[in-house]
Amino acid sequence: MSTGNYYYIKTPNDLISVISLWSSRGSSLDPKGKEGLSHFFEHLFLNKTATMPNKIAALRKIDGAGLFFNAYTRKNSVYYYFIQRAQDQEEAYKILIQGLREFDVEEKDIYREREVIFNEQNQHVSNPAAYVWSLADKGLWRDSPLSGSGLGTKSSLSSITMEDILRYKEFLFAKENIGFLTISSLKVSPGLVQELVQLTTADESSPMSSGDYVNAGGSNKIICEYRPMDAVFLALSFPLPGLASLVKDKLVLDFIRNYLASGWSSRLIERLRLEKNYTYWVYGGIESFREAGYFRVSLSTQKKNIAEVVGIVVEEIEKLQQELLDSAQLLHHKNAMKAHLLKHYIQPENMLWWYGWNIFLAKRIITIGDYLDSIDTISSSEVLAAAQKYLSVNNLHIAALGSIREADLHASPRL
């Protein structure tokens, strides 16, 4: 159900409600030289308001009301959400409305939150399994707006001013950019829905630009960052087109991702963990932004195994491009994909991302149940065609983090 920019998804789970505020802006639209602005504002919103000027008191009020609050900045979106019992969801919306009406920030808040984000940057860099994905984005898109982690740099964060924050609020919450989503067994009262829709800013009088667009700086097929570690973290990526071109094929690519790197019987986990003992796990991911996207698998392994690991990944992809899956294989991996999706999307945050991404970015309403049913329609010929179309080995990009240099990868006869 939708009313203007408000959407309601009914769920049979009468215990949990998720309410959220979405903007279809994100870190890829941060102005040049102000990278990290979207994420910076995320940290400041709802920390305090004009009538609740103390940050600690404001956050205590949220906890004390039985509400869980969090927010995320992604490349194409920013969203703020509350998780609570269904009967408490209107209290969560009242706090959200107060934040929209009474957003308040002082210079001292900007200084303090900048220090917090510096620590968040350090934490991100210190997590090699997460950081290698940012490194892979840098390899795919080099100096374009998509290449960063969204956290910005110490230099760009230091340049962000009070004026930037206040202008960004108007940009982020412009009516054409914003939406509200409730996932619950209970509807929100009609009066509250109308209040939410009317609160969005109608006039985007000073739009902010993002500078150069995607791939202005090209890409690096191999990108390495040296660190003295026992393991090497790898991310193998294939660039994908933008969302509008990809959305019709995303189902089949999701199937391929699960076929290669998901459960115990996915091909790369069978071969690289169960048969070879080369890694703990292989992770797969697909991201589709307005501008571009990627298909990716990642893992950690010993340096001596890298050439063979990459060779096995390429071999499995080439099999998909050359041979049709038989009916037994297709059915097996469809069932495994359903189990993976159910396990993943039963979590409230993941369910929120599913519906928010589809509604506000892909511009479609599709339930998780409908998507599970659509898996049955995938054919072997569609899998082969998608692998040929999107996963050309000539477009393979490799990011490596650990005791390895680019010269090591270039020198390998398998790469």
Side-chain angles (χ1 to χ4, degrees):
M1 183 198 82
S2 63
T3 303
N5 295 327
Y6 174 80
Y7 294 83
Y8 168 64
I9 302 295
K10 182 175 177 59
T11 172
N13 186 339
D14 60 358
L15 290 178
I16 296 177
S17 159
V18 187
I19 67 104
S20 56
L21 162 64
W22 287 73
S23 175
S24 57
R25 306 297 88 183
S27 63
S28 72
L29 292 178
D30 286 347
K32 194 171 183 62
K34 305 282 185 179
E35 293 82 5
L37 176 59
S38 300
H39 178 253
F40 203 141
F41 182 86
E42 174 217 301
H43 273 240
L44 295 168
F45 183 66
L46 280 192
N47 271 357
K48 67 179 193 176
T49 63
T51 55
M52 188 67 72
N54 182 280
K55 175 180 178 179
I56 293 175
L59 295 175
R60 280 180 176 173
K61 179 182 178 181
I62 291 172
D63 282 354
L67 313 174
F68 172 84
F69 169 68
N70 205 357
Y72 284 105
T73 299
R74 296 179 182 254
K75 295 185 192 297
N76 280 173
S77 63
V78 182
Y79 56 102
Y80 307 85
Y81 65 95
F82 289 84
I83 299 174
Q84 59 280 314
R85 297 178 304 169
Q87 61 262 40
D88 295 329
Q89 64 190 17
E90 297 215 1
E91 180 63 26
Y93 265 130
K94 288 176 184 176
I95 294 173
L96 191 57
I97 288 171
Q98 186 182 50
L100 285 167
R101 282 180 172 160
E102 302 180 10
F103 173 74
D104 188 35
V105 65
E106 300 177 61
E107 292 287 355
K108 64 180 181 181
D109 303 317
I110 294 173
Y111 172 80
R112 289 171 178 171
E113 210 59 42
R114 185 183 287 120
E115 294 301 309
V116 171
I117 298 173
F118 286 159
N119 282 294
E120 187 177 0
Q121 288 175 330
N122 293 335
Q123 182 175 306
H124 176 64
V125 171
S126 300
N127 181 348
Y131 181 75
V132 74
W133 284 61
S134 296
L135 186 64
D137 287 355
K138 185 177 179 181
L140 279 175
W141 299 305
R142 202 175 292 173
D143 298 321
S144 82
L146 288 180
S147 65
S149 67
L151 298 176
T153 64
K154 284 185 169 55
S155 174
S156 66
L157 291 178
S158 297
S159 75
I160 291 173
T161 65
M162 172 74 78
E163 181 182 358
D164 294 325
I165 294 295
L166 296 178
R167 284 186 63 214
Y168 184 76
K169 174 182 179 289
E170 301 305 312
F171 171 72
L172 184 72
F173 296 145
K175 190 166 187 176
E176 59 269 31
N177 298 337
I178 208 166
F180 302 91
L181 171 62
T182 300
I183 304 172
S184 176
S185 61
L186 299 178
K187 290 184 178 180
V188 173
S189 64
L192 183 54
V193 170
Q194 289 304 315
E195 190 174 3
L196 288 168
V197 173
Q198 291 167 7
L199 269 170
T200 57
T201 307
D203 178 26
E204 189 180 356
S205 56
S206 10
M208 305 182 82
S209 66
S210 61
D212 294 335
Y213 221 45
V214 174
N215 257 351
S219 66
N220 292 357
K221 298 292 284 292
I222 293 178
I223 185 169
C224 292
E225 186 170 310
Y226 184 87
R227 291 190 193 177
M229 301 187 298
D230 291 336
V232 175
F233 289 79
L234 295 173
L236 283 67
S237 306
F238 296 85
L240 298 176
L243 178 59
S245 301
L246 185 68
V247 68
K248 64 181 182 300
D249 292 330
K250 191 172 185 300
L251 172 67
V252 181
L253 284 171
D254 274 344
F255 173 85
I256 294 174
R257 184 265 309 272
N258 279 271
Y259 172 87
L260 291 173
S262 176
W264 287 106
S265 62
S266 58
R267 294 301 303 140
L268 296 178
I269 292 170
E270 275 197 356
R271 295 193 65 184
L272 296 175
R273 173 168 172 168
L274 299 179
E275 295 177 9
K276 295 285 189 178
N277 304 318
Y278 281 172
T279 190
Y280 170 72
W281 204 254
V282 185
Y283 304 91
I286 298 173
E287 282 284 8
S288 187
F289 312 116
R290 283 186 294 269
E291 307 93 334
Y294 61 70
F295 181 102
R296 179 173 297 161
V297 296
S298 70
L299 69 151
S300 63
T301 191
Q302 298 297 308
K303 180 179 177 179
K304 64 182 181 180
N305 300 328
I306 289 176
E308 188 176 357
V309 164
V310 175
I312 288 171
V313 173
V314 169
E315 181 182 317
E316 289 297 331
I317 289 172
E318 288 181 336
K319 284 181 182 177
L320 286 175
Q321 294 168 335
Q322 296 164 5
E323 305 170 9
L324 290 171
L325 296 175
D326 63 38
S327 58
Q329 289 175 309
L330 192 64
L331 178 61
H332 173 94
H333 289 285
K334 284 180 180 180
N335 290 336
M337 179 180 179
K338 291 175 185 178
H340 174 81
L341 290 175
L342 284 171
K343 175 258 182 188
H344 186 69
Y345 288 116
I346 200 68
Q347 301 173 50
E349 287 93 342
N350 295 336
M351 185 183 299
L352 174 66
W353 173 244
W354 166 270
Y355 284 110
W357 182 88
N358 277 290
I359 290 170
F360 299 117
L361 298 178
K363 306 298 183 183
R364 63 181 184 176
I365 299 177
I366 179 172
T367 70
I368 295 170
D370 289 341
Y371 197 73
L372 288 169
D373 290 341
S374 68
I375 292 170
D376 291 328
T377 70
I378 298 171
S379 69
S380 293
S381 59
E382 288 175 321
V383 174
L384 184 143
Q388 291 176 340
K389 181 177 181 180
Y390 295 111
L391 305 182
S392 169
V393 175
N394 292 330
N395 290 330
L396 175 62
H397 289 62
I398 301 175
L401 176 67
S403 299
I404 191 168
R405 304 185 190 278
E406 287 187 31
D408 299 324
L409 291 175
H410 285 295
S412 172
R414 299 289 297 275
L415 303 178

